[in-house]
């Protein structure tokens, strides 16, 4: 028996035969061409085909993993349209008179090298996206010469297996046949990578940072996601133990469905509002299917990322109205756009920054470009006539930002009233994502109706650890005492001011912290729809009175 440790992506168990997957790299040869117009036409057709493939991947990811996870393919589409990238390939074809495939590979390699040399970790990570987009174009060009083929497909699986690979791209992950993929292990990647996030949302047991061996192909193996261990050729005792663990996990998943219609109440009667995070109207069915109390975070930036230019007021209004109506009176909290950092749209014309996570993003863009903010606020207030709609401002760091945002919201409300457009009541809230906002939460609580604590950004800013940096996995700790103390401080100030405070970051879905948060006074948790039922189960197991008595309170 071979025991190999890795990093767990999902705390699930898988047992089956290993299949080693080696990505087929395109073979590119430099050729001098006389007809550069023909090569330019081939390149343009490849761009069109790649965009179609990415659109299909985005739609599939929406169904498999939701809008948040699908956003990676929106990012790939934007890279595909990047003027610098496209013009560099075109110049190589016409200036050096080389074939399109060689031009794509050369430009892709050069851009990857430039990004890898940058100091900022986020920008270095963009090299992988450039490589993925370039490889897609290369495969399309290669298959065109061969007369068609299997462009854009993932690993071919003939039977249910545990896949072993050096790495899996997000596109390969979302294309995995869920009837035939038992789990996967990869040598590269991190627990916070796009591939890992997709695996979690698709509920595929997986380990990363595993030294994968080609000779494992065809051998029996088991993934223990709870312990982060891969067993190759497990002995009978280990195999039986892991099969029993897998059966227990499957039974637990079945039992979760039995509590779908039960209230989110602790054993001693404390009510908790369990909300869901969504990226668009298409996610509402998953929320309703798990009986979510409402939408705690509508990531409205996805309505911008899927467009090639600014969405109109009516386009935004349509998405917000659909969501509000389908939620049937349940609250829908719409976060104003959080463009910037790892979510960019070329048409915003934002200059490249050395540290985009701490740069021109979110509310800062809205305050500096009021015309964009104005359009979105009008759409939100118009939608409030069709359901319970609230608005939330992201990336707040000071009091004046909130005052300015509220003034613009009031201006929009008065404007719509003059036009005779119907509206409902709209609560105004802010996200607590910066240490500055947490420290100022006492003063901020006097200016808004609610807080929503975004633990992902709050963690990275508190610990000065970029959450996109794979090398900082050991340093990026959402359970760090400093992060938890800030959350407790925010909850305390919210209670003093008589406003509600919830958590909408990834930490909200951690069942080991649910009791901790409830003891802090947190009564609202907003998570991805797939986490609603497990969290409901955890809430119904807790008795706050018992824990207080245990502590002598």
């Amino acid at each position: 028996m071979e025991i190999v440790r890795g990093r767990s992506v999902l705390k699930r168990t898988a047992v089956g035969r290993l299949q080693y997957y080696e990505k087929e790299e395109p073979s590119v040869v430099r050729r001098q061409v006389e007809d550069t117009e023909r090569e330019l036409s081939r390149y343009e057709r490849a761009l069109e085909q790649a965009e179609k493939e990415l659109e299909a991947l985005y739609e599939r990811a929406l169904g498999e993993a939701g809008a948040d996870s699908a956003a990676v393919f929106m990012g790939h589409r934007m890279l595909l349209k990047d003027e610098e990238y496209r013009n560099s390939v075109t110049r190589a074809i016409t200036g050096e008179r080389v074939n399109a495939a060689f031009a794509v590979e050369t430009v892709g390699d050069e851009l990857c090298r430039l990004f890898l040399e940058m100091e900022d970790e986020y920008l270095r990570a963009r090299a992988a996206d450039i490589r993925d987009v370039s490889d897609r174009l290369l495969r399309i060009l290669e298959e065109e010469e061969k007369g068609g083929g299997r462009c854009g497909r993932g690993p071919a699986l003939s039977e249910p297996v545990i896949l072993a690979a050096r790495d899996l791209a997000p596109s390969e992950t979302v294309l995995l046949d869920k009837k035939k993929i038992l789990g996967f292990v990869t040598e590269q990647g991190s627990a916070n990578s796009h591939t890992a996030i997709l695996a979690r949302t698709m509920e595929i047991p997986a380990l990363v940072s595993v030294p994968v061996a080609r000779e494992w192909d065809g051998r029996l193996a088991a993934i223990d996601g709870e312990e982060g261990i891969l067993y190759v050729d497990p002995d009978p005792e280990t195999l039986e133990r892991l099969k029993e663990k897998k059966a227990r996990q499957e039974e637990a998943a079945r039992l979760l469905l039995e509590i779908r219609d039960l209230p989110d109440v602790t054993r001693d009667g404390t009510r908790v509002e369990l909300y869901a995070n969504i990226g668009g109207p298409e996610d509402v069915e998953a929320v309703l299917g798990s009986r979510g109390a409402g939408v705690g975070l509508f990531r409205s930036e996805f309505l911008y990322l899927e467009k090639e230019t600014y969405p109109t007021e009516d386009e935004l209004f349509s998405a917000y109205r659909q969501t509000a109506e389908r939620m049937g009176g349940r609250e829908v909290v719409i976060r104003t756009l959080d463009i910037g950092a790892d979510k960019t749209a070329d048409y915003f014309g934002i200059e490249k920054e050395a540290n985009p996570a701490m740069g021109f993003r979110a509310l800062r863009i809205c305050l500096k470009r009021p015309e964009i903010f104005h359009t979105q606020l009008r759409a939100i207030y118009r939608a409030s006539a069709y359901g319970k709609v609230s608005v939330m401002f992201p990336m707040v760091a000071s009091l004046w930002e909130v005052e300015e945002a509220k003034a613009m919201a009031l201006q929009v409300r008065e404007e719509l009233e003059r036009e005779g457009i119907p509206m409902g009541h709209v609560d105004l809230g802010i996200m607590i994502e910066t240490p500055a906002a947490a420290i100022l939460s006492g003063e901020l609580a006097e200016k808004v109706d609610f807080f929503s604590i975004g633990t992902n950004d709050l963690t990275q800013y508190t610990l000065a650890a970029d959450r996109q940096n794979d090398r900082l996995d050991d340093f990026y700790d959402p359970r760090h005492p400093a992060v938890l103390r800030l959350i407790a401080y925010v909850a305390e100030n919210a209670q003093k001011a008589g406003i509600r405070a919830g958590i909408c970051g990834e930490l909200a879905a951690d069942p080991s912290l649910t009791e901790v948060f409830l003891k802090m006074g947190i009564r609202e948790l907003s998570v991805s729809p797939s986490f609603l039922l497990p969290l409901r189960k955890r809430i119904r197991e807790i008795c706050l009175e018992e824990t207080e008595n245990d502590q002598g309170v």
Side-chain angles (χ1 to χ4, degrees):
M1 178 172 66
E2 191 174 348
I3 301 174
V4 187
R5 292 193 173 273
R7 289 183 177 273
S8 180
V9 168
L10 182 69
K11 293 184 177 181
R12 296 283 181 86
T13 301
V15 178
R17 295 284 171 187
L18 282 161
Q19 177 176 320
Y20 182 79
Y21 169 63
E22 187 165 13
K23 197 177 301 187
E24 184 180 343
E25 300 294 339
S27 176
V28 179
V29 177
R30 174 176 178 145
R31 290 188 292 104
Q32 292 297 123
V33 296
E34 295 298 324
D35 191 351
T36 56
E37 288 301 319
R38 175 181 178 275
E39 289 303 302
L40 287 173
S41 295
R42 292 185 65 233
Y43 175 51
E44 290 298 326
R45 287 196 299 272
L47 287 171
E48 291 175 6
Q49 177 62 27
E51 186 167 359
K52 289 178 183 177
E53 289 182 5
L54 289 170
E55 286 176 357
L57 284 169
Y58 177 76
E59 292 300 323
R60 177 155 180 166
L62 279 177
E64 295 278 0
D68 198 13
S69 298
V72 60
F73 302 112
M74 197 64 67
H76 283 197
R77 282 182 63 194
M78 287 188 288
L79 277 173
L80 202 66
K81 296 173 180 291
D82 183 78
E83 278 192 34
E84 181 180 349
Y85 179 84
R86 296 178 72 143
N87 291 341
S88 295
V89 174
T90 300
R91 284 195 299 269
I93 293 172
T94 56
E96 300 177 33
R97 307 187 73 83
V98 296
N99 52 313
F102 184 79
V104 167
E105 183 180 60
T106 302
V107 170
D109 287 347
E110 178 62 18
L111 285 176
C112 281
R113 184 186 64 78
L114 289 173
F115 274 82
L116 287 170
E117 289 176 353
M118 293 181 179
E119 292 185 8
D120 183 75
E121 183 63 30
Y122 167 74
L123 293 176
R124 283 203 300 271
R126 297 271 291 188
D129 293 321
I130 294 168
R131 173 52 55 209
D132 202 1
V133 170
S134 295
D135 282 351
R136 181 174 298 280
L137 288 170
L138 289 174
R139 290 189 179 94
I140 292 169
L141 289 165
E142 185 178 52
E143 292 298 338
E144 184 193 47
E145 289 188 349
K146 294 179 180 179
R150 53 185 307 271
C151 277
R153 299 182 185 174
L157 308 177
S158 57
E159 60 181 354
V161 294
I162 295 174
L163 202 66
R166 187 167 182 268
D167 194 15
L168 284 177
S171 56
E172 293 170 315
T173 305
V174 80
L175 287 171
L176 292 171
D177 185 344
K178 290 189 72 174
K179 294 179 180 178
K180 294 179 181 177
I181 186 71
L182 302 173
F184 67 77
V185 294
T186 63
E187 191 165 311
Q188 296 184 355
S190 76
N192 296 314
S193 67
H194 287 305
T195 294
I197 292 169
L198 282 167
R200 273 196 297 273
T201 312
M202 295 168 67
E203 299 186 342
I204 301 174
L207 300 178
V208 297
S209 300
V210 174
V212 173
R214 185 189 300 271
E215 56 267 25
W216 288 352
D217 189 57
R219 294 162 67 177
L220 185 65
I223 293 173
D224 186 340
E226 293 181 0
E227 302 296 331
I229 297 175
L230 173 71
Y231 297 91
V232 182
D233 292 329
D235 59 41
E237 293 80 8
T238 301
L239 185 60
E240 185 61 29
R241 175 173 60 82
L242 291 174
K243 284 183 176 180
E244 290 176 358
K245 179 180 281 192
K246 183 174 183 293
R248 288 196 301 271
Q249 292 169 350
E250 290 173 347
E251 176 65 10
R254 185 189 66 79
L255 290 173
L256 282 177
L257 293 177
E258 296 182 1
I259 68 168
R260 182 176 60 178
D261 296 313
L262 298 178
D264 300 312
V265 179
T266 63
R267 288 196 290 119
D268 54 330
T270 300
R271 177 79 186 185
V272 181
E273 297 297 328
L274 200 50
Y275 288 82
N277 303 333
I278 68 170
E282 62 277 359
D283 293 335
V284 169
E285 290 307 313
V287 182
L288 296 175
S290 294
R291 308 299 188 262
V295 172
L297 173 60
F298 186 133
R299 295 183 171 96
S300 61
E301 56 270 15
F302 291 120
L303 301 177
Y304 291 78
L305 292 173
E306 65 187 16
K307 302 282 290 183
E308 295 182 11
T309 188
Y310 297 104
T312 65
E313 178 185 323
D314 283 342
E315 287 172 332
L316 295 172
F317 165 66
S318 176
Y320 300 150
R321 175 180 175 172
Q322 284 182 55
T323 303
E325 287 181 330
R326 290 168 67 184
M327 287 304 295
R330 298 176 179 87
E331 185 177 19
V332 177
V333 179
I334 301 173
R335 179 175 71 185
T336 55
L337 72 135
D338 189 6
I339 291 288
D342 59 337
K343 298 187 288 287
T344 59
D346 288 343
Y347 62 84
F348 272 74
I350 299 173
E351 295 180 4
K352 288 184 171 62
E353 299 175 302
N355 196 342
M358 301 179 75
F360 192 51
R361 60 174 291 198
L363 187 59
R364 296 167 182 176
I365 293 176
C366 291
L367 295 180
K368 289 294 185 181
R369 298 185 181 178
E371 70 282 0
I372 298 174
F373 201 27
H374 180 263
T375 298
Q376 187 174 29
L377 287 173
R378 279 184 60 96
I380 291 171
Y381 274 95
R382 285 173 60 191
S384 69
Y386 300 89
K388 186 179 180 182
V389 171
S390 300
V391 65
M392 179 165 66
F393 307 127
M395 280 299 295
V396 166
S398 61
L399 297 174
W400 74 264
E401 294 169 351
V402 177
E403 291 168 347
E404 187 73 13
K406 286 181 65 179
M408 294 182 72
L410 177 60
Q411 177 186 336
V412 164
R413 174 174 277 282
E414 292 173 344
E415 186 177 284
L416 292 171
E417 285 175 347
R418 289 194 298 271
E419 296 173 16
I421 295 175
M423 293 172 286
H425 174 76
V426 178
D427 278 350
L428 298 178
I430 60 171
M431 291 197 70
I432 304 292
E433 300 168 279
T434 66
I439 293 167
L440 291 174
S441 56
E443 292 93 328
L444 289 168
E446 302 296 330
K447 298 183 178 296
V448 297
D449 299 306
F450 65 93
F451 289 153
S452 187
I453 304 169
T455 56
N456 298 350
D457 273 327
L458 183 60
T459 300
Q460 78 166 346
Y461 294 135
T462 302
L463 303 182
D466 184 355
R467 61 192 176 101
Q468 303 288 337
N469 188 337
D470 296 348
R471 291 182 295 178
L472 297 182
D473 280 356
D474 292 333
F475 300 92
Y476 180 84
D477 178 15
R479 302 167 63 97
H480 192 286
V483 177
L484 297 179
R485 287 182 191 178
L486 285 176
I487 294 172
Y489 183 67
V490 171
E492 179 184 351
N493 283 327
Q495 290 175 60
K496 287 179 180 177
I499 68 169
R500 51 199 175 99
I503 299 175
C504 67
E506 196 167 315
L507 215 57
D510 186 344
S512 69
L513 286 174
T514 305
E515 187 172 322
V516 174
F517 292 146
L518 296 187
K519 286 160 63 177
M520 290 178 181
I522 297 292
R523 294 294 181 265
E524 293 181 13
L525 298 169
S526 191
V527 298
S528 296
S530 61
F531 291 115
L532 285 169
L533 292 180
L535 204 52
R536 176 167 298 140
K537 177 177 182 294
R538 178 63 188 128
I539 288 168
R540 294 181 59 80
E541 293 170 346
I542 294 170
C543 180
L544 293 176
E545 289 180 355
E546 288 180 1
T547 57
E548 288 177 355
N549 291 334
D550 289 343
Q551 295 173 348
V553 177

